[in-house]
Amino acid sequence: MLKALVCDIDGTLTDTQRRVDTGAIGCIRKLVDRGVEVVLASGNTSCFMDALCRMIGTSGTFIAENGGVYRIGFDGSLHLDGDQSRCWEAFRILETHFRERGTSLQLYSDRYRFTDLAFGRTVSAKEVKEVLSGMPIKIVDTGYAIHLQVPEVNKGTALVRLAPEIGLSSDDFLAIGDSVNDLEMLSEAGTGVAVANANPRARDIADWVTQKKYGEGVVEAIQKYWSTFSKDIDQPRYSP
Amino acid sequence: MLKALVCDIDGTLTDTQRRVDTGAIGCIRKLVDRGVEVVLASGNTSCFMDALCRMIGTSGTFIAENGGVYRIGFDGSLHLDGDQSRCWEAFRILETHFRERGTSLQLYSDRYRFTDLAFGRTVSAKEVKEVLSGMPIKIVDTGYAIHLQVPEVNKGTALVRLAPEIGLSSDDFLAIGDSVNDLEMLSEAGTGVAVANANPRARDIADWVTQKKYGEGVVEAIQKYWSTFSKDIDQPRYSP
């Protein structure tokens, strides 16, 4: 019996323009109102995730920085996992490499990041991997940014660490995602679902792939796995 | 002719649980898709507002910290207005005062604030005003937090400053709000609208008060003032 949902944001809960799907918001609110724990998981910053939790109306528990940060509830403190100095070291090497090629790298919201680094996709992720080959650093191209992170941290490790803090195990979770940075989360969760637009590797590792894309896929998955809510969720009250 | 919308968040775009109204999100997306500039304005932090702009799908222009910060577009830098050290000075006085009474004050996200300070409503705003009477500091109780800010800065001054940067004047704006920290914004804008749940002072200063509350009031106002979109906005596509 699935007791909780952990859901990726970009490419999963959002549409092609990175806007959160309002149908999926309505559906998640139904789950929350019925006492199902909903954890939002992303490569974005903890500050961004706090805003998202408030806007959507969850209990405030999130995974940020691709697993480098998690928080339990709105009043929880940030749990950090991952040595950012190793990411900075790798980033300086990349800066030097690409500067010689006439390209400068654009860091994303580094002021708000504590364990990983993210920069714009103005350079090839393949070349980034070549430059950093042999270094103990993970390069993740989420399709929205290129992230540098210590290899031993991901959304799956964060899920395993946070679940007991809310009285659950990772087996109790339905995970929904679309990208390579969701792989460990999809396999650690009791059930992993990929939305129809997902990366082939995410589709391969998932227990089930939705027919619909993006937020509509999230709604489809929630309806399937929490079928007792289906009728109600089918017609969300859009203006609460 | 109104060319742009500036809209408060808490108590205006959100419901009683501070969740953003999905009907209002759909309505705002229609405006954005038709080229109407939508500026979100709040007492919250710039980081929170950045997330909100992305989730809703605006151009990224916002007013944060009750006017102390504004930004033009997602790539814009933060424009700061207001000396936070004056707020800190006032806050230390309050801390001492309430500590003697056995009450400690809880700052909200001060790491992410640049021009004002906000703390929990665990003490009476009236007593805060008494303690700080005579000091050049403004105390604003938004109903969600008590804010300390320099008196010469508000959402209205920010609106007047940012409008020319996007080729507009504050007269081109429809402003929608509910609270005492929206008063100057409502009067500086070409047209000021208060939602039905608004504070009496906001209702008094507004050009028009909606019949409906919260996000449904926002939809009502947009339908009234952008009547050419009415038919379309009346039936927003909830799952884009």
Side-chain angles (χ1 to χ4, degrees):
Chain A
M1 171 62 183
L2 295 165
K3 297 178 184 168
L5 170 69
V6 58
C7 187
D8 170 54
I9 305 300
D10 283 317
T12 303
L13 202 59
T14 64
D15 64 15
T16 50
Q17 295 172 65
R18 295 188 78 183
R19 310 190 299 193
V20 175
D21 187 287
T22 49
I25 292 179
C27 196
I28 285 175
R29 287 179 183 170
K30 293 283 179 198
L31 284 184
V32 171
D33 289 346
R34 277 153 190 74
V36 175
E37 180 67 40
V38 175
V39 177
L40 303 178
S42 170
N44 220 311
T45 63
S46 49
C47 181
F48 187 97
M49 295 307 288
D50 176 77
L52 215 58
C53 290
R54 277 199 195 279
M55 260 198 64
I56 293 178
T58 70
S59 67
T61 299
F62 63 70
I63 295 169
E65 297 185 26
N66 285 318
V69 182
Y70 72 86
R71 187 186 73 178
I72 309 294
F74 284 109
D75 294 328
S77 53
L78 300 182
H79 297 253
L80 308 187
D81 189 13
D83 179 3
Q84 199 185 38
S85 69
R86 286 161 61 188
C87 308
W88 277 112
E89 189 186 341
F91 183 74
R92 297 300 176 212
I93 291 170
L94 291 173
E95 270 194 321
T96 305
H97 173 84
F98 285 107
R99 191 184 303 120
E100 285 167 3
R101 301 265 305 276
T103 305
S104 62
L105 302 180
Q106 189 201 354
L107 275 174
Y108 285 162
S109 51
D110 54 312
R111 181 202 291 253
Y112 303 120
R113 293 193 169 273
F114 306 112
T115 66
D116 79 342
L117 289 176
F119 56 95
R121 298 170 77 241
T122 53
V123 296
S124 133
K126 186 163 171 284
E127 188 170 348
V128 169
K129 284 177 186 172
E130 284 164 9
V131 174
L132 299 180
S133 71
M135 280 191 72
I137 203 86
K138 179 171 62 175
I139 298 105
V140 182
D141 180 3
T142 63
Y144 299 95
I146 298 173
H147 292 253
L148 304 177
Q149 189 166 36
V150 297
E152 56 273 23
V153 171
N154 54 61
K155 291 181 187 172
T157 58
L159 178 62
V160 169
R161 289 180 65 193
L162 81 78
E165 293 196 39
I166 51 175
L168 298 171
S169 114
S170 59
D171 281 343
D172 295 322
F173 277 82
L174 170 70
I176 312 178
D178 76 309
S179 180
V180 289
N181 63 335
D182 296 320
L183 296 179
E184 297 88 351
M185 178 178 85
L186 292 175
S187 60
E188 289 288 358
T191 302
V193 169
V195 284
N197 54 292
N199 176 286
R201 290 175 63 196
R203 298 166 64 96
D204 283 349
I205 214 166
D207 297 296
W208 189 64
V209 181
T210 65
Q211 294 285 316
K212 293 181 179 170
K213 296 178 177 178
Y214 303 102
E216 292 185 349
V218 173
V219 173
E220 189 184 339
I222 292 175
Q223 284 175 336
K224 175 180 167 75
Y225 288 96
W226 280 280
S227 55
T228 47
F229 304 154
S230 263
K231 194 183 158 213
D232 200 22
I233 284 173
D234 212 35
Q235 298 175 318
R237 212 160 43 90
Y238 284 108
S239 302
Chain B
M1 171 62 182
L2 294 165
K3 297 177 182 169
L5 170 68
V6 58
C7 187
D8 170 54
I9 306 300
D10 283 318
T12 302
L13 201 60
T14 64
D15 64 15
T16 48
Q17 294 171 67
R18 293 188 80 182
R19 311 190 299 194
V20 175
D21 188 288
T22 50
I25 292 179
C27 196
I28 284 175
R29 285 178 183 170
K30 293 281 177 199
L31 283 184
V32 171
D33 289 346
R34 278 152 190 74
V36 175
E37 179 68 39
V38 175
V39 177
L40 302 179
S42 171
N44 220 311
T45 65
S46 49
C47 181
F48 187 98
M49 295 307 289
D50 177 76
L52 215 59
C53 290
R54 280 202 194 277
M55 263 198 63
I56 293 178
T58 70
S59 67
T61 299
F62 64 69
I63 294 169
E65 297 186 25
N66 285 319
V69 182
Y70 72 89
R71 187 187 75 178
I72 308 295
F74 284 109
D75 295 328
S77 53
L78 299 182
H79 296 254
L80 308 187
D81 189 14
D83 179 3
Q84 198 185 38
S85 68
R86 286 162 59 189
C87 307
W88 277 112
E89 189 186 341
F91 184 74
R92 297 303 176 211
I93 291 169
L94 290 174
E95 270 195 321
T96 304
H97 172 84
F98 286 107
R99 192 186 302 122
E100 286 168 4
R101 301 265 305 275
T103 307
S104 62
L105 302 181
Q106 189 200 355
L107 275 175
Y108 284 161
S109 53
D110 54 313
R111 179 201 292 254
Y112 302 120
R113 292 191 169 274
F114 306 111
T115 67
D116 80 341
L117 289 175
F119 57 94
R121 298 171 78 242
T122 53
V123 295
S124 132
K126 186 164 170 284
E127 187 169 349
V128 169
K129 284 178 187 174
E130 284 165 7
V131 174
L132 299 180
S133 71
M135 280 192 71
I137 203 84
K138 180 171 61 175
I139 299 107
V140 181
D141 180 3
T142 65
Y144 299 95
I146 298 172
H147 292 253
L148 302 178
Q149 189 167 36
V150 297
E152 57 273 22
V153 172
N154 54 63
K155 290 181 186 171
T157 58
L159 178 62
V160 168
R161 289 180 65 193
L162 81 78
E165 292 196 41
I166 52 175
L168 297 172
S169 113
S170 59
D171 281 344
D172 295 324
F173 278 83
L174 171 69
I176 312 178
D178 76 307
S179 179
V180 289
N181 62 335
D182 297 320
L183 297 179
E184 298 88 350
M185 178 179 86
L186 293 174
S187 60
E188 288 289 357
T191 302
V193 169
V195 285
N197 55 292
N199 176 287
R201 290 175 63 195
R203 298 167 63 98
D204 282 348
I205 214 166
D207 296 298
W208 188 63
V209 180
T210 65
Q211 293 285 315
K212 293 180 178 169
K213 294 178 178 179
Y214 303 104
E216 292 186 349
V218 172
V219 173
E220 189 184 340
I222 292 175
Q223 284 175 337
K224 175 181 169 74
Y225 288 97
W226 280 281
S227 55
T228 47
F229 302 155
S230 263
K231 194 183 156 212
D232 201 22
I233 285 174
D234 213 33
Q235 299 174 320
R237 212 161 43 90
Y238 284 109
S239 303

